Amino acid sequence: MRHLQKNRKLNRTASHREAMFSNMITTLFEQERIVTTVAKAKEARSIAERLVTYAKKGDLHRRRLAARIIKKEDILKKLFEDIAERFKDRNGGYTRILKKGIRAGDSAPLCFFELTTIKEKTEEEKETEIKKSTKSKPKVPKKKTAEKEEVKETAVEESKEEEIKDTEKTE
């Protein structure tokens, strides 16, 4: 019986679970939204919320506790400077789980696991994103399509004229 058993094992060893959640949480704070299974997201939620609380307190001891889970120094810095600042007036509820659907391969329920306040893009980032999207689309001038239609029409007219000449010769 599972009395007082709090965590899901997710069919992994303890070291594998620890490494998996460390990678998931690091990616979550880096990208601020990840796609994972619902069971993994529910387990990772408690770790992520605890780390945001550590970041809000911000002292050296809390930074070292967070560094045990987040191994990348730049992500740790982002957590303690940027993310903690966004959640300073909020007491808990730093993450959300939004159901996405079912994975095709094994029918596992997927979800979006994200921070509740996603950083807004600056005007410069929006402009560069627009420039990138417009560069990738090939532009087809309308004149060329109109010319193609004219060529088709003249070809049809020529073929009709040839048919008329052929019928006149046979008569």
Side-chain angles (χ1 to χ4, degrees):
M1 286 190 247
R2 295 196 71 240
H3 295 306
L4 296 175
Q5 301 293 318
K6 295 179 181 173
N7 297 331
R8 295 173 179 87
K9 291 191 176 185
L10 300 173
N11 206 18
R12 289 164 171 80
T13 62
S15 60
H16 187 181
R17 273 195 311 275
E18 182 182 340
M20 178 186 66
F21 286 133
S22 174
N23 290 334
M24 280 178 60
I25 300 300
T26 302
T27 306
L28 173 69
F29 290 135
E30 182 180 9
Q31 299 175 359
E32 300 188 8
R33 171 185 274 189
I34 60 173
V35 177
T36 185
T37 62
V38 174
K40 287 180 192 172
K42 286 181 179 180
E43 281 301 308
R45 176 175 44 192
S46 64
I47 300 168
E49 301 226 355
R50 187 177 326 124
L51 289 175
V52 173
T53 304
Y54 288 166
K56 284 173 58 176
K57 297 208 174 161
D59 57 351
L60 179 62
H61 179 61
R62 298 305 190 306
R63 183 177 282 269
R64 288 180 174 165
L65 288 174
R68 292 192 310 183
I69 297 170
I70 299 175
K71 308 290 194 260
K72 294 182 179 178
E73 206 46 52
D74 55 336
I75 306 302
L76 190 66
K77 183 177 179 182
K78 179 181 177 182
L79 172 66
F80 274 79
E81 292 176 1
D82 181 35
I83 296 173
E85 186 66 28
R86 282 191 267 161
F87 290 117
K88 66 180 178 185
D89 297 331
R90 186 179 206 126
N91 296 324
Y94 310 118
T95 60
R96 77 168 62 105
I97 297 173
L98 301 170
K99 304 284 174 83
K100 181 183 177 200
I102 304 295
R103 186 162 47 202
D106 60 354
S107 298
L110 293 177
C111 67
F112 291 109
F113 182 44
E114 63 182 9
L115 298 175
T116 52
T117 58
I118 294 177
K119 183 178 178 182
E120 295 295 324
K121 293 182 180 179
T122 62
E123 292 297 322
E124 294 173 3
E125 291 173 348
K126 289 179 183 177
E127 289 174 6
T128 56
E129 189 173 303
I130 290 170
K131 288 178 183 176
K132 287 179 183 177
S133 65
T134 56
K135 285 182 181 177
S136 63
K137 294 178 183 176
K139 294 182 180 178
V140 178
K142 293 181 181 178
K143 292 179 183 178
K144 289 184 179 178
T145 56
E147 290 174 3
K148 288 180 183 178
E149 290 176 6
E150 290 175 12
V151 169
K152 288 179 184 177
E153 289 174 4
T154 56
V156 170
E157 290 173 3
E158 290 174 358
S159 63
K160 287 181 181 178
E161 290 175 3
E162 289 176 9
E163 288 178 14
I164 294 171
K165 288 179 183 176
D166 289 340
T167 54
E168 288 175 359
K169 289 180 183 177
T170 57
E171 291 176 356

Short mmCIF file of all heavy atoms in Angstrom, two decimals, residues 8 10 20 23 27 50 58 61 64-65 73 78 97 101 114 120-122 124 136-137 162 169:
data_model
loop_
_atom_site.label_atom_id
_atom_site.label_comp_id
_atom_site.label_asym_id
_atom_site.label_seq_id
_atom_site.Cartn_x
_atom_site.Cartn_y
_atom_site.Cartn_z
N ARG A 8 5.51 10.75 -7.41
CA ARG A 8 5.37 9.72 -8.44
C ARG A 8 6.76 9.23 -8.82
O ARG A 8 7.68 10.02 -8.96
CB ARG A 8 4.70 10.30 -9.69
CG ARG A 8 3.28 10.74 -9.48
CD ARG A 8 2.80 11.45 -10.76
NE ARG A 8 1.43 11.88 -10.65
CZ ARG A 8 1.04 13.03 -10.13
NH1 ARG A 8 1.92 13.87 -9.64
NH2 ARG A 8 -0.24 13.35 -10.09
N LEU A 10 7.34 7.55 -11.73
CA LEU A 10 7.41 7.71 -13.18
C LEU A 10 8.25 6.62 -13.85
O LEU A 10 8.85 6.84 -14.89
CB LEU A 10 7.95 9.09 -13.56
CG LEU A 10 7.13 10.28 -13.07
CD1 LEU A 10 7.86 11.57 -13.35
CD2 LEU A 10 5.77 10.28 -13.72
N MET A 20 16.24 14.23 -14.67
CA MET A 20 15.17 14.61 -15.59
C MET A 20 14.48 15.89 -15.12
O MET A 20 14.28 16.82 -15.91
CB MET A 20 14.13 13.48 -15.69
CG MET A 20 12.96 13.79 -16.59
SD MET A 20 11.70 12.54 -16.56
CE MET A 20 11.11 12.66 -14.88
N ASN A 23 16.75 18.94 -15.59
CA ASN A 23 16.75 19.40 -16.99
C ASN A 23 15.44 20.08 -17.36
O ASN A 23 15.43 21.10 -18.05
CB ASN A 23 17.01 18.22 -17.93
CG ASN A 23 18.43 17.71 -17.83
OD1 ASN A 23 19.33 18.44 -17.47
ND2 ASN A 23 18.62 16.45 -18.11
N THR A 27 15.12 24.05 -18.40
CA THR A 27 14.53 24.43 -19.69
C THR A 27 13.30 25.31 -19.49
O THR A 27 13.07 26.25 -20.26
CB THR A 27 14.15 23.17 -20.50
OG1 THR A 27 15.30 22.34 -20.60
CG2 THR A 27 13.67 23.53 -21.88
N ARG A 50 9.04 25.99 -5.76
CA ARG A 50 9.98 26.14 -4.65
C ARG A 50 11.18 26.98 -5.07
O ARG A 50 11.64 27.85 -4.32
CB ARG A 50 10.45 24.76 -4.17
CG ARG A 50 11.29 24.82 -2.92
CD ARG A 50 11.70 23.45 -2.39
NE ARG A 50 10.72 22.41 -2.62
CZ ARG A 50 10.96 21.27 -3.26
NH1 ARG A 50 12.16 21.03 -3.76
NH2 ARG A 50 10.03 20.36 -3.40
N GLY A 58 16.16 35.40 -2.24
CA GLY A 58 17.36 35.97 -2.85
C GLY A 58 18.65 35.94 -2.07
O GLY A 58 19.63 36.50 -2.54
N HIS A 61 22.21 31.53 0.68
CA HIS A 61 21.84 30.14 0.98
C HIS A 61 20.79 29.64 -0.01
O HIS A 61 20.89 28.52 -0.52
CB HIS A 61 21.31 30.05 2.42
CG HIS A 61 20.89 28.67 2.81
ND1 HIS A 61 21.77 27.62 2.83
CD2 HIS A 61 19.69 28.16 3.17
CE1 HIS A 61 21.13 26.52 3.20
NE2 HIS A 61 19.86 26.83 3.41
N ARG A 64 22.33 28.90 -3.38
CA ARG A 64 23.06 27.63 -3.40
C ARG A 64 22.10 26.44 -3.43
O ARG A 64 22.39 25.43 -4.07
CB ARG A 64 24.01 27.53 -2.20
CG ARG A 64 25.19 28.45 -2.37
CD ARG A 64 26.13 28.38 -1.21
NE ARG A 64 27.31 29.19 -1.49
CZ ARG A 64 28.17 29.57 -0.57
NH1 ARG A 64 28.01 29.21 0.70
NH2 ARG A 64 29.21 30.29 -0.89
N LEU A 65 20.97 26.55 -2.74
CA LEU A 65 19.96 25.49 -2.80
C LEU A 65 19.42 25.36 -4.23
O LEU A 65 19.22 24.26 -4.74
CB LEU A 65 18.81 25.77 -1.84
CG LEU A 65 19.11 25.60 -0.34
CD1 LEU A 65 17.90 26.06 0.48
CD2 LEU A 65 19.44 24.16 -0.03
N GLU A 73 24.66 28.48 -14.98
CA GLU A 73 24.83 29.72 -14.23
C GLU A 73 23.98 30.86 -14.81
O GLU A 73 23.42 31.65 -14.05
CB GLU A 73 26.31 30.08 -14.26
CG GLU A 73 26.85 30.92 -13.15
CD GLU A 73 26.45 30.53 -11.74
OE1 GLU A 73 26.60 29.38 -11.33
OE2 GLU A 73 25.99 31.44 -11.04
N LYS A 78 19.18 34.40 -14.38
CA LYS A 78 17.88 34.85 -14.89
C LYS A 78 16.78 34.60 -13.86
O LYS A 78 15.92 35.45 -13.66
CB LYS A 78 17.56 34.10 -16.19
CG LYS A 78 16.22 34.46 -16.78
CD LYS A 78 15.94 33.68 -18.04
CE LYS A 78 14.56 34.01 -18.59
NZ LYS A 78 14.24 33.25 -19.79
N ILE A 97 -0.40 24.60 -15.83
CA ILE A 97 -0.40 23.43 -16.69
C ILE A 97 -1.63 23.53 -17.58
O ILE A 97 -2.76 23.54 -17.08
CB ILE A 97 -0.41 22.13 -15.86
CG1 ILE A 97 0.86 22.03 -15.02
CG2 ILE A 97 -0.56 20.93 -16.76
CD1 ILE A 97 0.86 20.88 -14.05
N GLY A 101 -3.19 17.80 -25.47
CA GLY A 101 -3.79 16.73 -26.27
C GLY A 101 -3.08 15.42 -25.97
O GLY A 101 -2.47 15.25 -24.93
N GLU A 114 4.16 26.03 -18.11
CA GLU A 114 4.69 27.37 -18.32
C GLU A 114 4.62 28.21 -17.07
O GLU A 114 3.87 27.92 -16.13
CB GLU A 114 3.93 28.06 -19.45
CG GLU A 114 2.48 28.29 -19.14
CD GLU A 114 1.73 28.92 -20.30
OE1 GLU A 114 2.27 29.04 -21.40
OE2 GLU A 114 0.58 29.32 -20.07
N GLU A 120 7.06 39.74 -21.81
CA GLU A 120 6.59 40.38 -23.04
C GLU A 120 7.79 40.72 -23.92
O GLU A 120 8.84 41.11 -23.43
CB GLU A 120 5.82 41.66 -22.72
CG GLU A 120 4.53 41.41 -21.96
CD GLU A 120 3.53 40.64 -22.76
OE1 GLU A 120 3.46 40.85 -24.00
OE2 GLU A 120 2.83 39.82 -22.18
N LYS A 121 7.62 40.58 -25.21
CA LYS A 121 8.69 40.90 -26.15
C LYS A 121 8.78 42.42 -26.30
O LYS A 121 7.77 43.12 -26.34
CB LYS A 121 8.41 40.27 -27.51
CG LYS A 121 8.47 38.78 -27.48
CD LYS A 121 8.26 38.21 -28.85
CE LYS A 121 8.33 36.69 -28.80
NZ LYS A 121 8.09 36.10 -30.11
N THR A 122 10.01 42.91 -26.41
CA THR A 122 10.21 44.33 -26.63
C THR A 122 9.89 44.66 -28.08
O THR A 122 9.74 43.78 -28.92
CB THR A 122 11.66 44.73 -26.31
OG1 THR A 122 12.53 44.03 -27.21
CG2 THR A 122 12.02 44.40 -24.88
N GLU A 124 11.85 45.95 -30.30
CA GLU A 124 12.93 45.53 -31.19
C GLU A 124 12.80 44.04 -31.53
O GLU A 124 13.00 43.65 -32.67
CB GLU A 124 14.28 45.79 -30.52
CG GLU A 124 14.58 47.26 -30.33
CD GLU A 124 15.85 47.49 -29.53
OE1 GLU A 124 16.52 46.49 -29.18
OE2 GLU A 124 16.18 48.65 -29.26
N SER A 136 11.40 35.18 -45.23
CA SER A 136 11.27 33.77 -45.60
C SER A 136 10.18 33.53 -46.64
O SER A 136 10.20 32.52 -47.32
CB SER A 136 10.97 32.94 -44.35
OG SER A 136 9.73 33.33 -43.81
N LYS A 137 9.25 34.44 -46.81
CA LYS A 137 8.18 34.25 -47.77
C LYS A 137 8.61 34.78 -49.14
O LYS A 137 8.98 35.95 -49.26
CB LYS A 137 6.92 35.00 -47.33
CG LYS A 137 6.31 34.46 -46.07
CD LYS A 137 5.10 35.26 -45.67
CE LYS A 137 4.53 34.77 -44.37
NZ LYS A 137 3.42 35.60 -43.93
N GLU A 162 -5.42 27.12 -85.77
CA GLU A 162 -4.88 25.97 -86.48
C GLU A 162 -5.98 24.95 -86.76
O GLU A 162 -6.03 24.35 -87.85
CB GLU A 162 -3.75 25.32 -85.68
CG GLU A 162 -2.48 26.16 -85.64
CD GLU A 162 -1.42 25.54 -84.76
OE1 GLU A 162 -1.59 24.37 -84.31
OE2 GLU A 162 -0.41 26.20 -84.51
N LYS A 169 -9.05 23.08 -94.82
CA LYS A 169 -8.29 22.29 -95.81
C LYS A 169 -8.99 20.98 -96.12
O LYS A 169 -8.97 20.52 -97.27
CB LYS A 169 -6.88 22.02 -95.28
CG LYS A 169 -6.00 23.22 -95.25
CD LYS A 169 -4.63 22.85 -94.72
CE LYS A 169 -3.75 24.08 -94.63
NZ LYS A 169 -2.44 23.77 -94.06
#
